[in-house]
Short mmCIF file of all heavy atoms in Angstrom, two decimals:
data_model
loop_
_atom_site.label_atom_id
_atom_site.label_comp_id
_atom_site.label_asym_id
_atom_site.label_seq_id
_atom_site.Cartn_x
_atom_site.Cartn_y
_atom_site.Cartn_z
N VAL A 1 -95.68 121.71 -54.81
CA VAL A 1 -96.32 122.17 -56.05
C VAL A 1 -97.77 122.48 -55.73
O VAL A 1 -98.53 121.59 -55.32
CB VAL A 1 -96.23 121.11 -57.16
CG1 VAL A 1 -96.93 121.62 -58.43
CG2 VAL A 1 -94.78 120.76 -57.45
N ALA A 2 -98.12 123.75 -55.90
CA ALA A 2 -99.47 124.22 -55.59
C ALA A 2 -99.87 123.83 -54.17
O ALA A 2 -101.01 123.44 -53.90
CB ALA A 2 -100.48 123.67 -56.60
N GLY A 3 -98.90 123.90 -53.25
CA GLY A 3 -99.16 123.62 -51.86
C GLY A 3 -99.11 122.16 -51.47
O GLY A 3 -99.23 121.82 -50.29
N ILE A 4 -98.92 121.25 -52.45
CA ILE A 4 -98.86 119.82 -52.17
C ILE A 4 -97.39 119.41 -52.03
O ILE A 4 -96.60 119.58 -52.96
CB ILE A 4 -99.55 119.00 -53.27
CG1 ILE A 4 -101.02 119.41 -53.37
CG2 ILE A 4 -99.42 117.51 -52.99
CD1 ILE A 4 -101.74 118.76 -54.53
N LYS A 5 -97.04 118.83 -50.88
CA LYS A 5 -95.65 118.50 -50.58
C LYS A 5 -95.35 117.03 -50.85
O LYS A 5 -96.17 116.16 -50.53
CB LYS A 5 -95.32 118.83 -49.12
CG LYS A 5 -95.42 120.31 -48.80
CD LYS A 5 -94.98 120.59 -47.37
CE LYS A 5 -95.02 122.09 -47.07
NZ LYS A 5 -94.56 122.40 -45.70
N THR A 6 -94.18 116.76 -51.41
CA THR A 6 -93.68 115.40 -51.59
C THR A 6 -92.21 115.39 -51.22
O THR A 6 -91.53 116.43 -51.27
CB THR A 6 -93.85 114.91 -53.03
OG1 THR A 6 -93.11 115.78 -53.91
CG2 THR A 6 -95.32 114.89 -53.45
N SER A 7 -91.70 114.23 -50.86
CA SER A 7 -90.28 114.10 -50.52
C SER A 7 -89.85 112.67 -50.73
O SER A 7 -90.67 111.75 -50.84
CB SER A 7 -90.02 114.53 -49.08
OG SER A 7 -90.71 113.69 -48.17
N GLY A 8 -88.54 112.46 -50.77
CA GLY A 8 -88.02 111.11 -50.93
C GLY A 8 -86.51 111.11 -50.85
O GLY A 8 -85.86 112.15 -50.71
N GLU A 9 -85.94 109.92 -50.92
CA GLU A 9 -84.48 109.79 -50.88
C GLU A 9 -84.07 108.49 -51.56
O GLU A 9 -84.88 107.57 -51.73
CB GLU A 9 -83.96 109.81 -49.45
CG GLU A 9 -84.43 108.65 -48.59
CD GLU A 9 -83.85 108.72 -47.18
OE1 GLU A 9 -83.83 109.82 -46.58
OE2 GLU A 9 -83.40 107.67 -46.68
N SER A 10 -82.81 108.44 -51.96
CA SER A 10 -82.24 107.23 -52.55
C SER A 10 -80.77 107.16 -52.19
O SER A 10 -80.13 108.18 -51.93
CB SER A 10 -82.41 107.23 -54.08
OG SER A 10 -81.69 108.31 -54.66
N ASN A 11 -80.23 105.96 -52.16
CA ASN A 11 -78.80 105.78 -51.90
C ASN A 11 -77.98 106.27 -53.08
O ASN A 11 -78.37 106.11 -54.24
CB ASN A 11 -78.49 104.31 -51.65
CG ASN A 11 -79.09 103.80 -50.36
OD1 ASN A 11 -79.25 104.55 -49.39
ND2 ASN A 11 -79.45 102.52 -50.34
N ILE A 12 -76.85 106.88 -52.78
CA ILE A 12 -75.94 107.31 -53.84
C ILE A 12 -75.37 106.08 -54.54
O ILE A 12 -75.02 105.08 -53.90
CB ILE A 12 -74.81 108.18 -53.25
CG1 ILE A 12 -75.38 109.58 -52.96
CG2 ILE A 12 -73.60 108.26 -54.17
CD1 ILE A 12 -74.39 110.53 -52.35
N LYS A 13 -75.30 106.15 -55.85
CA LYS A 13 -74.72 105.07 -56.65
C LYS A 13 -73.24 105.39 -56.91
O LYS A 13 -72.88 106.53 -57.19
CB LYS A 13 -75.45 104.94 -57.98
CG LYS A 13 -76.92 104.58 -57.86
CD LYS A 13 -77.57 104.53 -59.24
CE LYS A 13 -79.06 104.23 -59.16
NZ LYS A 13 -79.68 104.23 -60.51
N TRP A 14 -72.41 104.36 -56.82
CA TRP A 14 -70.97 104.50 -57.05
C TRP A 14 -70.57 103.67 -58.26
O TRP A 14 -71.10 102.58 -58.48
CB TRP A 14 -70.18 104.02 -55.83
CG TRP A 14 -70.50 104.78 -54.58
CD1 TRP A 14 -71.41 104.44 -53.62
CD2 TRP A 14 -69.93 106.02 -54.15
NE1 TRP A 14 -71.44 105.37 -52.62
CE2 TRP A 14 -70.53 106.36 -52.92
CE3 TRP A 14 -68.96 106.87 -54.69
CZ2 TRP A 14 -70.20 107.50 -52.21
CZ3 TRP A 14 -68.62 108.01 -53.98
CH2 TRP A 14 -69.24 108.32 -52.76
N ASP A 15 -69.62 104.18 -59.03
CA ASP A 15 -69.22 103.45 -60.24
C ASP A 15 -68.04 102.51 -60.00
O ASP A 15 -67.56 101.86 -60.92
CB ASP A 15 -68.93 104.40 -61.40
CG ASP A 15 -67.58 105.10 -61.29
OD1 ASP A 15 -66.89 104.94 -60.26
OD2 ASP A 15 -67.20 105.80 -62.23
N ASP A 16 -67.58 102.43 -58.73
CA ASP A 16 -66.52 101.49 -58.36
C ASP A 16 -65.25 101.67 -59.18
O ASP A 16 -64.55 100.70 -59.48
CB ASP A 16 -66.99 100.03 -58.45
CG ASP A 16 -68.07 99.74 -57.42
OD1 ASP A 16 -67.93 100.21 -56.28
OD2 ASP A 16 -69.04 99.06 -57.76
N ASP A 17 -64.97 102.91 -59.54
CA ASP A 17 -63.72 103.19 -60.25
C ASP A 17 -62.55 103.05 -59.30
O ASP A 17 -62.71 103.04 -58.08
CB ASP A 17 -63.73 104.60 -60.84
CG ASP A 17 -63.64 105.67 -59.76
OD1 ASP A 17 -64.39 105.57 -58.77
OD2 ASP A 17 -62.83 106.59 -59.89
N THR A 18 -61.37 102.96 -59.83
CA THR A 18 -60.13 103.04 -59.06
C THR A 18 -59.21 103.98 -59.83
O THR A 18 -59.45 104.29 -61.00
CB THR A 18 -59.43 101.68 -58.91
OG1 THR A 18 -58.86 101.31 -60.18
CG2 THR A 18 -60.41 100.60 -58.46
N PRO A 19 -58.14 104.46 -59.20
CA PRO A 19 -57.22 105.35 -59.92
C PRO A 19 -56.55 104.68 -61.11
O PRO A 19 -55.96 105.35 -61.94
CB PRO A 19 -56.19 105.72 -58.85
CG PRO A 19 -56.83 105.44 -57.55
CD PRO A 19 -57.76 104.30 -57.80
N PHE A 20 -56.64 103.36 -61.20
CA PHE A 20 -55.90 102.64 -62.23
C PHE A 20 -56.82 101.97 -63.25
O PHE A 20 -56.39 101.15 -64.04
CB PHE A 20 -55.00 101.59 -61.58
CG PHE A 20 -54.25 102.10 -60.40
CD1 PHE A 20 -54.64 101.78 -59.11
CD2 PHE A 20 -53.17 102.97 -60.57
CE1 PHE A 20 -53.97 102.28 -58.00
CE2 PHE A 20 -52.50 103.47 -59.46
CZ PHE A 20 -52.89 103.13 -58.19
N ASN A 21 -58.11 102.29 -63.21
CA ASN A 21 -59.07 101.62 -64.08
C ASN A 21 -59.83 102.65 -64.90
O ASN A 21 -60.78 103.26 -64.44
CB ASN A 21 -60.05 100.78 -63.25
CG ASN A 21 -61.06 100.05 -64.11
OD1 ASN A 21 -60.90 99.98 -65.33
ND2 ASN A 21 -62.10 99.53 -63.49
N ASP A 22 -59.41 102.87 -66.15
CA ASP A 22 -60.08 103.81 -67.03
C ASP A 22 -61.16 103.15 -67.87
O ASP A 22 -61.89 103.83 -68.58
CB ASP A 22 -59.06 104.50 -67.96
CG ASP A 22 -58.10 105.39 -67.18
OD1 ASP A 22 -58.54 105.95 -66.15
OD2 ASP A 22 -56.94 105.52 -67.59
N GLY A 23 -61.25 101.83 -67.83
CA GLY A 23 -62.20 101.13 -68.68
C GLY A 23 -63.38 100.58 -67.90
O GLY A 23 -63.93 99.54 -68.26
N ASP A 24 -63.80 101.27 -66.85
CA ASP A 24 -64.87 100.80 -66.00
C ASP A 24 -66.19 100.75 -66.78
O ASP A 24 -66.67 101.78 -67.24
CB ASP A 24 -65.00 101.75 -64.80
CG ASP A 24 -66.04 101.30 -63.80
OD1 ASP A 24 -66.63 100.23 -64.01
OD2 ASP A 24 -66.25 102.03 -62.83
N PRO A 25 -66.82 99.58 -66.92
CA PRO A 25 -68.08 99.50 -67.66
C PRO A 25 -69.28 100.01 -66.87
O PRO A 25 -70.37 100.10 -67.40
CB PRO A 25 -68.21 97.99 -67.92
CG PRO A 25 -67.51 97.36 -66.76
CD PRO A 25 -66.35 98.27 -66.46
N ASN A 26 -69.06 100.36 -65.61
CA ASN A 26 -70.14 100.78 -64.73
C ASN A 26 -70.34 102.29 -64.71
O ASN A 26 -71.07 102.82 -63.89
CB ASN A 26 -69.85 100.28 -63.30
CG ASN A 26 -71.09 100.35 -62.41
OD1 ASN A 26 -72.19 100.13 -62.88
ND2 ASN A 26 -70.88 100.65 -61.15
N LYS A 27 -69.67 103.02 -65.61
CA LYS A 27 -69.75 104.48 -65.61
C LYS A 27 -71.16 104.95 -65.95
O LYS A 27 -71.87 104.32 -66.72
CB LYS A 27 -68.75 105.06 -66.61
CG LYS A 27 -67.31 105.01 -66.17
CD LYS A 27 -66.41 105.68 -67.18
CE LYS A 27 -64.96 105.67 -66.73
NZ LYS A 27 -64.06 106.31 -67.71
N GLY A 28 -71.52 106.11 -65.40
CA GLY A 28 -72.80 106.72 -65.71
C GLY A 28 -72.91 108.06 -65.02
O GLY A 28 -72.44 108.22 -63.89
N TYR A 29 -73.54 109.03 -65.67
CA TYR A 29 -73.61 110.38 -65.12
C TYR A 29 -74.48 110.45 -63.86
O TYR A 29 -74.46 111.45 -63.16
CB TYR A 29 -74.14 111.34 -66.18
CG TYR A 29 -73.13 111.68 -67.23
CD1 TYR A 29 -73.10 110.99 -68.44
CD2 TYR A 29 -72.18 112.67 -67.02
CE1 TYR A 29 -72.15 111.29 -69.41
CE2 TYR A 29 -71.23 112.99 -67.97
CZ TYR A 29 -71.22 112.29 -69.18
OH TYR A 29 -70.29 112.58 -70.13
N ASP A 30 -75.24 109.39 -63.55
CA ASP A 30 -76.03 109.38 -62.33
C ASP A 30 -75.27 108.74 -61.17
O ASP A 30 -75.85 108.47 -60.13
CB ASP A 30 -77.34 108.63 -62.56
CG ASP A 30 -77.12 107.16 -62.91
OD1 ASP A 30 -76.03 106.84 -63.44
OD2 ASP A 30 -78.04 106.36 -62.68
N LYS A 31 -73.97 108.51 -61.35
CA LYS A 31 -73.17 107.85 -60.33
C LYS A 31 -71.96 108.71 -59.93
O LYS A 31 -71.48 109.53 -60.71
CB LYS A 31 -72.68 106.50 -60.83
CG LYS A 31 -73.81 105.54 -61.18
CD LYS A 31 -73.28 104.28 -61.83
CE LYS A 31 -74.44 103.37 -62.25
NZ LYS A 31 -73.96 102.16 -62.95
N PHE A 32 -71.49 108.48 -58.72
CA PHE A 32 -70.29 109.14 -58.23
C PHE A 32 -69.08 108.24 -58.44
O PHE A 32 -69.17 107.02 -58.29
CB PHE A 32 -70.42 109.45 -56.73
CG PHE A 32 -71.12 110.73 -56.42
CD1 PHE A 32 -72.46 110.89 -56.74
CD2 PHE A 32 -70.45 111.77 -55.81
CE1 PHE A 32 -73.11 112.07 -56.44
CE2 PHE A 32 -71.09 112.95 -55.52
CZ PHE A 32 -72.43 113.11 -55.83
N LYS A 33 -67.94 108.85 -58.73
CA LYS A 33 -66.70 108.10 -58.75
C LYS A 33 -66.37 107.67 -57.32
O LYS A 33 -66.50 108.45 -56.38
CB LYS A 33 -65.55 108.96 -59.29
CG LYS A 33 -65.70 109.34 -60.75
CD LYS A 33 -64.52 110.17 -61.18
CE LYS A 33 -64.64 110.57 -62.65
NZ LYS A 33 -63.49 111.39 -63.08
N ARG A 34 -65.96 106.44 -57.17
CA ARG A 34 -65.66 105.92 -55.84
C ARG A 34 -64.43 106.61 -55.23
O ARG A 34 -64.36 106.84 -54.04
CB ARG A 34 -65.41 104.42 -55.93
CG ARG A 34 -65.12 103.73 -54.62
CD ARG A 34 -66.35 103.51 -53.79
NE ARG A 34 -67.22 102.48 -54.32
CZ ARG A 34 -68.31 102.04 -53.70
NH1 ARG A 34 -68.67 102.55 -52.53
NH2 ARG A 34 -69.07 101.10 -54.25
N PHE A 35 -63.46 106.96 -56.07
CA PHE A 35 -62.19 107.50 -55.59
C PHE A 35 -62.14 109.01 -55.78
O PHE A 35 -62.48 109.53 -56.85
CB PHE A 35 -61.03 106.85 -56.34
CG PHE A 35 -59.67 107.29 -55.88
CD1 PHE A 35 -59.12 106.81 -54.71
CD2 PHE A 35 -58.94 108.19 -56.64
CE1 PHE A 35 -57.85 107.22 -54.29
CE2 PHE A 35 -57.69 108.61 -56.24
CZ PHE A 35 -57.14 108.12 -55.06
N ASP A 36 -61.72 109.74 -54.73
CA ASP A 36 -61.53 111.19 -54.80
C ASP A 36 -60.15 111.52 -54.24
O ASP A 36 -59.61 110.77 -53.40
CB ASP A 36 -62.62 111.90 -54.01
CG ASP A 36 -62.54 113.41 -54.13
OD1 ASP A 36 -62.21 113.89 -55.24
OD2 ASP A 36 -62.81 114.11 -53.14
N TYR A 37 -59.60 112.63 -54.66
CA TYR A 37 -58.29 113.04 -54.17
C TYR A 37 -58.18 114.56 -54.28
O TYR A 37 -58.92 115.20 -55.04
CB TYR A 37 -57.17 112.37 -54.98
CG TYR A 37 -57.14 112.76 -56.45
CD1 TYR A 37 -56.27 113.74 -56.90
CD2 TYR A 37 -58.01 112.15 -57.37
CE1 TYR A 37 -56.25 114.10 -58.24
CE2 TYR A 37 -58.00 112.51 -58.70
CZ TYR A 37 -57.12 113.50 -59.13
OH TYR A 37 -57.12 113.86 -60.46
N GLY A 38 -57.25 115.13 -53.52
CA GLY A 38 -57.09 116.58 -53.55
C GLY A 38 -56.04 117.03 -52.57
O GLY A 38 -55.15 116.27 -52.17
N GLY A 39 -56.15 118.30 -52.14
CA GLY A 39 -55.20 118.88 -51.20
C GLY A 39 -55.91 119.64 -50.10
O GLY A 39 -57.05 120.08 -50.26
N ASN A 40 -55.23 119.80 -48.97
CA ASN A 40 -55.76 120.51 -47.81
C ASN A 40 -54.87 121.69 -47.44
O ASN A 40 -53.64 121.60 -47.54
CB ASN A 40 -55.85 119.59 -46.59
CG ASN A 40 -56.86 118.49 -46.75
OD1 ASN A 40 -57.97 118.72 -47.22
ND2 ASN A 40 -56.49 117.27 -46.36
N LEU A 41 -55.49 122.76 -46.97
CA LEU A 41 -54.82 123.85 -46.29
C LEU A 41 -55.47 123.99 -44.92
O LEU A 41 -56.70 123.99 -44.83
CB LEU A 41 -54.96 125.16 -47.07
CG LEU A 41 -54.35 125.21 -48.47
CD1 LEU A 41 -54.75 126.51 -49.17
CD2 LEU A 41 -52.83 125.09 -48.40
N LEU A 42 -54.67 124.11 -43.86
CA LEU A 42 -55.26 124.18 -42.53
C LEU A 42 -54.49 125.14 -41.64
O LEU A 42 -53.31 125.43 -41.87
CB LEU A 42 -55.32 122.81 -41.89
CG LEU A 42 -54.02 122.11 -41.49
CD1 LEU A 42 -54.27 121.15 -40.33
CD2 LEU A 42 -53.45 121.33 -42.68
N ALA A 43 -55.19 125.61 -40.61
CA ALA A 43 -54.61 126.50 -39.62
C ALA A 43 -55.35 126.28 -38.31
O ALA A 43 -56.51 125.87 -38.30
CB ALA A 43 -54.72 127.95 -40.05
N GLY A 44 -54.67 126.55 -37.20
CA GLY A 44 -55.34 126.37 -35.93
C GLY A 44 -54.43 126.67 -34.76
O GLY A 44 -53.37 127.28 -34.91
N ILE A 45 -54.86 126.22 -33.59
CA ILE A 45 -54.12 126.46 -32.36
C ILE A 45 -54.19 125.22 -31.47
O ILE A 45 -55.23 124.56 -31.40
CB ILE A 45 -54.68 127.70 -31.63
CG1 ILE A 45 -53.82 128.04 -30.40
CG2 ILE A 45 -56.14 127.52 -31.26
CD1 ILE A 45 -54.16 129.40 -29.80
N GLU A 46 -53.08 124.88 -30.86
CA GLU A 46 -53.00 123.83 -29.85
C GLU A 46 -52.84 124.49 -28.49
O GLU A 46 -52.05 125.41 -28.33
CB GLU A 46 -51.78 122.93 -30.07
CG GLU A 46 -51.80 122.09 -31.32
CD GLU A 46 -50.56 121.21 -31.42
OE1 GLU A 46 -49.69 121.31 -30.53
OE2 GLU A 46 -50.45 120.44 -32.37
#
């Protein structure tokens, strides 16, 4: 800002959810869900 530099970091916060717990009291928009899931597509050569 106007040539003055600042920087910092913080650890990511986790809400300790599980796939079976919808009533987690630790929820918050500044936190990541502990559990993630999805699908993969891959290609390559051996």
Side-chain angles (χ1 to χ4, degrees):
V1 179
I4 300 174
K5 296 184 177 182
T6 60
S7 63
E9 64 179 44
S10 63
N11 292 329
I12 284 179
K13 298 177 182 178
W14 300 94
D15 77 354
D16 294 319
D17 70 313
T18 73
F20 315 104
N21 180 13
D22 293 329
D24 184 3
N26 195 35
K27 285 183 178 180
Y29 285 96
D30 63 335
K31 299 173 183 177
F32 275 66
K33 294 180 180 180
R34 182 77 71 174
F35 182 77
D36 185 37
Y37 63 99
N40 293 316
L41 298 172
L42 68 153
I45 185 169
E46 293 182 357

